[in-house]
Amino acid sequence: MSNTEDTEKETESYLESFKYAGKRLEAEERKDSFGKLMREIVDSGVCTKCSACVATCDVLIWDPITDRPKLSGKCTGCGICYNQCPRTITTIPGLIGEYKAAFTAKATNTEIKGQDGGVVTALLLYGLDSKLFDGVIVTLKSKEEPWKPIPKYVTSKEELLESSGSIYCHSQTVIPLIDSLRKGAHSIGFVGTPCNIDSVDKMQKSPFGLLKLFMRANIFKIGLFCMDSFSYEGLSGFLADNNSSWNNVQKCSISKGKFIFHLKNGEEIVRKVHALNRYKSSSCYYCTDLTSEHSDISVGSVGSADGYSTVLIRTGLGWELFQDAIDNGYIEAKPLERGKLRFVLNLAKMKKQSLYTIKSRRKFVYQAPQEVVERPKYEPATKDDIIKAAARKMVKLVKTDLDNKFIRFIVTNSSGETLDNVKVHIASVQDFFEVASWETNIKVWYPFEELEFEYPRTKDDTEYLIQLNDYKGLVLSRVANIQKILEKKQAKK
Ligand SMILES: Cc1cc2nc3c(=O)[nH]c(=O)nc-3n(C[C@H](O)[C@H](O)[C@H](O)COP(=O)(O)OP(=O)(O)OC[C@H]3O[C@@H](n4cnc5c(N)ncnc54)[C@H](O)[C@@H]3O)c2cc1C
Ligand code: SF4
Ligand code: SF4
Ligand code: SF4
């Protein structure tokens, strides 16, 4: 056989495997394009320059100028490169941890008014009724300050029933846990968010962990799914700004990216979760565990119909307790369909991605006072300046947004290096004149860190200018037109 034939055969068999992988990804609806790989891994600075993506696909080359992978042909968006990259998280255990079985389930006892299927409360009730637990750690709502989380060791059915439902704020659940052990409890059912579960797990497994050394403690960990939690005070302020208060709130829920305050009068205050980011706990920006990977049983809402909970059984003990609760009529359950599990995986992926963009999540917000600097004549950058700045690709305008009071610019340092002494100039521009302008100096700007500038809007505003300069000159110059932003916002709605 000639050499040419050999090469052709090799190429053909490689292409067959490439197609096969593409078909599998298509069937699983996991077609993550090269654009996604660029956004998540390359642009965020996580790329190790290993070249696995380039090596596997014929339309990718290594760009020697930018030292990054680059498209040289048409991308079909098959997702193969994304799935070879060592930095993306794509396996099921990588996304939601190890588990033995997945169910969709609900409590049978109608006294249980759960957040979703009431499965957590039903499991705890079974544990208490059967004397497997001395008591359980749950989070109640404060009577003095409505909706403030009060973590508590409870032993009665009455208090347990009161504890059902979710409070989207941190709860210090470990205090009553250790307190109850100190007072003589030995076997405890513990409910917590993934970060709560991690505390207990660490204390159980680290060589000097007190729950490892205090061998009388048996703790059964029921972990909740969790995407974010918020500051109680922050949300109180938000409610006040919306002419309401915690006293009016019947239930809180998070669904399809929206935070919903269900009010006692039947009305709802609904906001995109994203819009409440300023009240989000700082820890949640750095958290990558959606499903309480270190628990015995994990329970959440995503993946199940209204009124049901999604349950992941992780340990042998978790399996036995869940089955016993079913056999004894506390819970009804059926296996979670593969397609529904995909919803859990997708959400978990969103959370894991915070690993890739961890630096850009360190966002600093600058609130600009009006009219600090007088710069009477609007001096737009020359075309040459703009081309040069773009070629240096040092700074990117990530987003421009506005409300009635403020215009917001979010910029990121995309140079891959720390920038020093960057001068930021923002101005409201009317008829080529700056009517109000403001300047600040960013002493140190880390790679991929985002800066948000919140600039008070001027009366009858039409355009705003944002310019950034480093010691070499202009690195960004953009004009934001109010009319166009409003039209874009309207179109999105
Ligand atoms: C902060 C937070 C964020 C969440 N985010 C998501 C999400 O993004 N996606 C998703 O699918 N599910 C999420 N959940 C889980 C979901 O809201 C339900 O708790 C879960 O589906 C169990 O429902 P259930 O009806 O079986 O539980 P229930 O029977 O109603 O029992 C809920 C249990 O949670 C305990 N609890 C309530 N608030 C807290 C708290 N702040 N800290 C510790 N324990 C608490 C209660 O004491 C009770 O024992 C979140 C829960 C919380 C607390
Ligand atoms: S065609 Fe190539 S670059 Fe595009 S997604 Fe598939 S493997 Fe990646
Ligand atoms: S496979 Fe991932 S880490 Fe390797 S070069 Fe491509 S993007 Fe970078
Ligand atoms: S997102 Fe993470 S850190 Fe924040 S409350 Fe949930 S588990 Fe805890």
Side-chain angles (χ1 to χ4, degrees):
M1 204 189 287
S2 74
N3 263 350
T4 332
E5 271 173 87
D6 251 0
T7 323
E8 269 169 13
K9 208 168 169 194
E10 199 180 285
T11 311
E12 220 173 83
S13 60
Y14 178 78
L15 281 179
E16 284 308 321
S17 296
F18 192 86
K19 275 191 219 151
Y20 186 83
K23 266 191 209 150
R24 282 189 63 184
L25 285 166
E26 192 166 6
E28 298 250 331
E29 293 175 32
R30 288 168 66 181
K31 291 180 71 180
D32 296 306
S33 69
F34 175 65
K36 209 165 177 200
L37 184 72
M38 284 299 279
R39 265 196 316 278
E40 288 175 10
I41 306 299
V42 182
D43 289 346
S44 64
V46 179
C47 169
T48 62
K49 305 188 190 293
C50 75
S51 80
C53 52
V54 171
T56 39
C57 176
D58 289 345
V59 298
L60 287 179
I61 54 168
W62 195 263
D63 182 345
I65 297 171
T66 57
D67 204 20
R68 295 160 147 219
K70 180 182 161 184
L71 272 176
S72 66
K74 195 170 176 316
C75 169
T76 61
C78 66
I80 290 177
C81 53
Y82 189 92
N83 279 273
Q84 315 311 308
C85 175
R87 284 294 185 253
T88 57
I89 300 172
T90 52
T91 62
I92 294 180
L95 290 167
I96 57 171
E98 299 288 349
Y99 70 97
K100 294 177 188 301
F103 292 93
T104 181
K106 69 171 185 176
T108 50
N109 185 337
T110 49
E111 283 176 288
I112 297 176
K113 306 283 175 241
Q115 178 73 13
D116 296 303
V119 170
V120 173
T121 307
L123 262 175
L124 295 175
L125 186 61
Y126 173 69
L128 282 178
D129 285 351
S130 57
K131 312 277 182 243
L132 288 173
F133 301 145
D134 293 331
V136 296
I137 304 295
V138 290
T139 297
L140 294 150
K141 295 171 198 84
S142 161
K143 297 220 161 57
E144 292 76 38
E145 294 175 85
W147 284 90
K148 191 157 200 171
I150 305 290
K152 197 172 174 194
Y153 174 73
V154 309
T155 52
S156 72
K157 179 177 175 184
E158 196 186 24
E159 271 195 304
L160 175 63
L161 291 182
E162 264 179 49
S163 75
S164 62
S166 296
I167 305 174
Y168 295 101
C169 304
H170 279 306
S171 171
Q172 282 71 49
T173 45
V174 187
I175 295 177
L177 172 69
I178 301 297
D179 203 41
S180 60
L181 289 168
R182 286 179 188 226
K183 288 180 180 152
H186 298 307
S187 168
I188 297 173
F190 175 89
V191 184
T193 50
C195 51
N196 293 164
I197 296 291
D198 278 350
S199 320
V200 177
D201 194 60
K202 171 93 184 237
M203 290 167 92
Q204 284 177 321
K205 292 184 183 153
S206 101
F208 307 106
L210 277 171
L211 293 176
K212 183 186 177 98
L213 299 172
F214 184 68
M215 291 180 199
R216 285 166 191 83
N218 280 311
I219 297 152
F220 183 79
K221 291 172 286 178
I222 304 181
L224 305 171
F225 290 8
C226 179
M227 199 66 183
D228 328 85
S229 78
F230 299 84
S231 136
Y232 176 79
E233 284 71 24
L235 291 183
S236 309
F238 167 81
L239 285 168
D241 286 348
N242 285 276
N243 305 318
S244 195
S245 79
W246 284 117
N247 280 317
N248 303 334
V249 176
Q250 177 73 30
K251 183 179 175 177
C252 294
S253 63
I254 296 183
S255 174
K256 297 185 180 123
K258 298 216 169 101
F259 194 124
I260 307 161
F261 297 87
H262 306 260
L263 304 183
K264 288 176 184 162
N265 65 5
E267 288 175 10
E268 289 178 349
I269 301 177
V270 185
R271 290 290 181 281
K272 283 188 180 159
V273 176
H274 196 64
L276 299 178
N277 266 359
R278 65 181 49 201
Y279 312 117
K280 185 162 150 171
S281 308
S282 60
S283 61
C284 308
Y285 282 102
Y286 298 93
C287 177
T288 55
D289 181 359
L290 172 77
T291 57
S292 285
E293 293 175 28
H294 301 124
S295 58
D296 291 290
I297 288 185
S298 302
V299 189
S301 62
V302 61
S304 284
D306 284 354
Y308 285 80
S309 308
T310 297
V311 182
L312 301 176
I313 311 290
R314 299 189 185 275
T315 61
L317 190 58
W319 180 256
E320 282 158 25
L321 207 72
F322 189 68
Q323 282 303 326
D324 287 353
I326 294 173
D327 293 347
N328 286 285
Y330 284 73
I331 287 171
E332 54 183 59
K334 57 180 186 188
L336 188 72
E337 289 165 27
R338 211 179 142 127
K340 304 286 185 212
L341 183 68
R342 176 91 6 240
F343 290 108
V344 184
L345 295 174
N346 287 346
L347 197 63
K349 186 144 184 280
M350 270 173 69
K351 203 165 182 199
K352 295 284 178 199
Q353 275 165 12
S354 59
L355 255 189
Y356 316 145
T357 52
I358 213 140
K359 276 187 176 159
S360 68
R361 285 175 158 251
R362 285 181 41 181
K363 189 186 281 183
F364 294 93
V365 179
Y366 292 80
Q367 288 192 326
Q370 259 180 35
E371 292 183 82
V372 173
V373 173
E374 279 301 315
R375 212 172 68 154
K377 183 84 177 80
Y378 170 35
E379 289 166 13
T382 65
K383 209 172 172 188
D384 249 19
D385 285 340
I386 294 170
I387 292 168
K388 269 189 214 152
R392 287 163 70 197
K393 281 189 185 154
M394 297 182 68
V395 173
K396 257 194 209 160
L397 180 63
V398 181
K399 195 172 174 195
T400 310
D401 198 9
L402 52 78
D403 57 27
N404 291 339
K405 285 187 188 159
F406 295 101
I407 180 158
R408 295 182 187 86
F409 296 100
I410 302 176
V411 289
T412 185
N413 167 4
S414 50
S415 67
E417 295 158 21
T418 300
L419 298 176
D420 299 316
N421 289 317
V422 176
K423 195 183 268 183
V424 181
H425 181 90
I426 302 176
S428 170
V429 178
Q430 282 173 25
D431 301 325
F432 298 105
F433 286 92
E434 293 185 7
V435 288
S437 55
W438 174 81
E439 272 185 14
T440 193
N441 200 44
I442 309 298
K443 274 197 174 151
V444 184
W445 191 3
Y446 296 107
F448 308 104
E449 191 173 69
E450 283 188 357
L451 306 178
E452 177 174 334
F453 298 97
E454 191 168 70
Y455 191 75
R457 288 180 62 181
T458 51
K459 203 166 168 274
D460 302 325
D461 52 358
T462 51
E463 281 185 335
Y464 287 85
L465 167 77
I466 177 165
Q467 284 188 333
L468 274 72
N469 282 273
D470 77 342
Y471 71 102
K472 278 189 191 160
L474 196 70
V475 286
L476 182 89
S477 177
R478 296 288 275 274
V479 173
N481 182 292
I482 299 295
Q483 194 55 37
K484 281 188 189 155
I485 300 174
L486 290 175
E487 280 167 11
K488 237 184 186 174
K489 274 171 92 93
Q490 194 57 34
K492 262 194 185 164
K493 273 187 193 163

